[in-house]
Structure formats: structure tokens, C-alpha cells
């Protein structure tokens, strides 16, 4: 049990006799809900949080305040929720950064992504797209790899989160390329730099670049998943290239509460997220970004997080990624 979890348990036990009658009578939600997003406004996580928050507010009659807390690869927002009162009024839209990659990449992580959180539901799980600036003289993944090998150190690739970091780093490792990582505070900033020609390459969430690719402002080369990208079905898989068979990178979003949040509240939130995700307008919204919802049970998300943590530890152990 982490120090956060121990403090929370001690505080809960100390206040139990006085708190029980009031809590037993309180209808949830009876006041505003705060949803923390570990990235800047305009990121895919931010857009999903605001979409769900809008409908939860309408349906339950309580505001859902989306609060952007970028920084520290998601650590700032995740730690704030881990330390919050476990009453269902402070939630986190966590990602592969906060709940998987940070375990392997961030020394002395100040929270435990398993012990300090109550999973609610997975929201999305999407493959990424490899895109390049139009000035780069390549039109396929094979062409990109050949160019990068012929021009070592010439390509800079943008990183806005751990998904794009993993995508670029695994490409370097598996193809044996010399490329330079350029980190940005958020994915939208990285995409802006790519459009401006400050960097030449990015492995990125489809929702951030689909419009640019379709309208010819960026060139999409391949997708990082194990099946065609729903937004650009004509793209090949990176893993279809010789020597790249083990390449697969995904970006996901999940909803979490602090550990110790009452089970009825978790189930109420889960049921509402499932219901909203099934609405035609929400389905259309996510389909336009070339993605899909993956809502399920709290137990599904808990098992998924554990698998993701082990996958990121393996990537660091095998040298495809470097721990901080």
C-alpha cells in the first residue's frame, strides 16, 4: 500500500462514525464534479473529457468542470487526483502516460497507478498515424526509412506525449535510424511545429492530424496499429514492413477516481459513461477522428492498466525506450 493510500485509509477510519450518516443520505452527485486532464486544451484527452462532461452535466444537473493540469508527463494531474478525497467529485482522465508509461519512465513516481486509483472505464484505445511534413521527400514508410538511413541525424521528430515518444523511439530502434527527438508540452504544439517545418516527422493521434492529412497539409504514411486505421483505411501498417513486425503503438484514455471511492459511485459513473458513449452524436464525433470508444467495466480497465504497465516495462528493459 502506498503512502497516499495509507493516509487516506487512516483519515477515513478516523472520521467514520461522524461521517457515515451524512454520506448515507447524500445523493450523488449533489455538487459540481471536477475532471482533471493531464494535457493542454485541444488535446485528444481534453476533447473527450469535455464531450462527456457536457452530457453528464445535462443529465445529472451538476456542472462537470474540466481542469487542464499539464506538466510532468501527466504526473501533476495524476498526483492531484491520487491525493483527492475519494468521494466521486474529483476524477482523472488518465492515459498511457499517467497509468502505464510513467511507471517505467519517471524515477520516484509520487503515486501508484494501481493502488492509488479506482478504475471507472476505458474510454478510447486508438492506433496512431505516422505523418511527415510535405517538404520531406518521402511518400511511404519504406521511403522514410531509406531516407533516414541515407541522411543520419537529418530528421527531427516531434513528441507531445508518451504515445508519440514511443512511436518515434520504436521506429528508431527497430529500423536502426538516427533521428532526433524534439519534445513539446502537448500534442497540438507538436503538430503546429510539424506544419511549420520545425520538425519533419511525428507519430500522433489520428484526431490531431486527420484533417491536415486529408487536405494535403501533412503527408500520412502508415498506422501504428495491428489493423487498418478507421480514419485512413488505405494506410499500410508499419508492422507490414520487413524488420518492423514487432511494431505496435496505441494511445488510450481511461477515467479514474481516487482509491477508496465508494463502489456505488464508481458503478454509477461507469453506467453513465457507457450510456453516453452509445449515443449517435458521440459515435459520430469519435468516428470523425478515426477512432472508436472502448468503454467497459471497471475490472476491464484495471486488467488493461496492469498489462500496459508490463508492456512499458518491457520496452524499457529491451532498450527500445530510455527511462528518465
Amino acid at each position: 500500500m502506498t503512502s497516499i493510500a495509507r493516509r487516506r485509509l487512516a483519515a477515513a477510519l478516523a472520521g467514520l462514525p461522524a461521517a457515515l450518516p451524512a454520506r448515507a443520505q447524500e445523493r450523488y452527485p449533489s455538487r459540481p464534479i471536477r475532471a482533471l486532464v493531464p494535457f493542454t486544451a485541444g488535446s485528444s484527452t481534453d476533447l473527450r473529457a469535455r464531450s462527456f462532461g457536457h452530457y453528464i452535466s445535462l443529465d445529472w444537473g451538476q456542472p462537470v468542470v474540466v481542469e487542464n493540469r499539464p506538466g510532468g508527463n501527466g504526473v501533476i494531474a495524476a498526483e492531484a487526483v491520487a491525493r483527492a478525497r475519494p468521494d466521486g467529485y474529483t476524477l482523472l482522465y488518465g492515459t498511457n502516460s499517467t497509468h502505464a508509461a510513467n511507471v517505467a519512465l519517471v524515477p520516484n513516481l509520487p503515486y501508484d497507478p494501481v493502488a492509488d486509483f479506482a478504475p471507472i472505464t476505458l474510454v478510447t484505445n486508438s492506433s496512431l498515424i505516422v505523418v511527415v511534413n510535405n517538404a520531406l521527400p518521402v511518400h511511404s514508410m519504406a521511403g522514410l526509412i531509406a531516407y533516414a538511413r541515407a541522411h543520419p541525424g537529418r530528421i527531427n521528430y516531434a513528441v507531445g506525449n508518451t504515445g508519440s515518444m514511443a512511436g518515434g523511439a520504436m521506429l528508431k530502434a527497430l529500423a536502426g535510424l538516427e533521428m532526433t527527438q524534439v519534445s513539446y508540452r502537448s500534442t497540438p504544439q507538436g503538430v503546429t511545429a510539424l506544419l511549420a517545418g520545425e520538425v519533419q516527422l511525428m507519430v500522433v493521434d489520428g484526431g490531431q492530424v486527420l484533417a491536415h492529412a486529408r487536405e494535403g497539409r501533412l503527408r500520412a504514411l502508415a498506422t501504428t496499429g495491428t489493423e487498418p486505421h478507421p480514419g485512413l483505411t488505405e494506410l499500410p501498417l508499419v508492422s507490414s514492413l520487413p524488420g518492423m513486425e514487432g511494431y505496435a503503438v496505441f494511445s488510450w484514455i481511461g477515467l479514474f477516481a481516487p482509491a477508496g471511492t465508494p463502489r456505488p459511485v464508481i458503478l454509477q459513473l461507469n453506467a453513465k459513461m457507457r450510456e453516453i458513449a452509445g449515443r449517435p452524436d458521440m459515435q459520430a464525433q469519435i468516428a470523425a477522428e478515426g477512432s472508436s470508444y472502448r468503454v467497459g467495466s471497471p475490472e476491464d480497465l484495471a486488467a488493461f492498466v496492469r498489462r500496459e504497465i508490463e508492456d512499458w516495462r518491457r520496452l524499457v528493459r529491451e532498450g527500445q525506450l530510455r527511462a528518465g
Side-chain angles (χ1 to χ4, degrees), residues 4 8 36-38 69 71-84 90-95 97-99 102 109-113 116-117 256-258:
I4 294 173
R8 182 177 294 129
L36 270 65
V37 171
R69 289 271 195 100
N73 206 37
V75 170
I76 293 172
E79 184 179 12
V81 175
R83 295 179 182 277
T90 304
L91 307 175
L92 174 73
Y93 279 89
T95 69
S97 296
T98 61
H99 277 72
N102 283 352
L109 190 65
Y111 63 87
D112 186 318
D116 291 336
F117 294 88
F256 299 84

Side-chain angles (χ1 to χ4, degrees), residues 113-136:
V114 174
D116 291 336
F117 294 88
I120 297 170
T121 182
L122 188 65
V123 179
T124 61
N125 185 22
S126 309
S127 58
L128 309 181
I129 296 176
V130 181
V131 289
V132 296
N133 179 274
N134 286 337
L136 196 69

Side-chain angles (χ1 to χ4, degrees), residues 36 46 63 69 84 86 88 102 171 177 196 267 287 299 305 311:
L36 270 65
D46 175 73
R69 289 271 195 100
N102 283 352
L171 181 59
L177 308 179
L267 295 179
E299 291 73 24
V305 166
D311 284 346

Side-chain angles (χ1 to χ4, degrees), residues 131-202:
V131 289
V132 296
N133 179 274
N134 286 337
L136 196 69
V138 301
H139 293 80
S140 67
M141 275 304 299
L144 171 65
I145 291 173
Y147 180 88
R149 286 173 175 166
H151 302 85
R154 184 79 61 86
I155 294 179
N156 298 325
Y157 66 95
V159 163
N161 56 31
T162 55
S164 57
M165 180 190 68
M170 288 180 68
L171 181 59
K172 287 173 58 178
L174 292 178
L177 308 179
E178 290 183 33
M179 302 189 299
T180 302
Q181 174 180 307
V182 181
S183 298
Y184 294 88
R185 187 174 176 83
S186 68
T187 296
Q189 290 180 349
V191 173
T192 298
L194 182 63
L195 287 164
E198 296 172 13
V199 292
Q200 292 74 46
L201 168 69
M202 192 171 191

Side-chain angles (χ1 to χ4, degrees), residues 52-76:
F52 278 99
H54 169 73
Y55 285 110
I56 291 173
S57 297
L58 290 179
D59 293 353
W60 285 353
Q62 292 292 341
V64 176
V65 181
V66 176
E67 182 178 326
N68 297 95
R69 289 271 195 100
N73 206 37
V75 170
I76 293 172

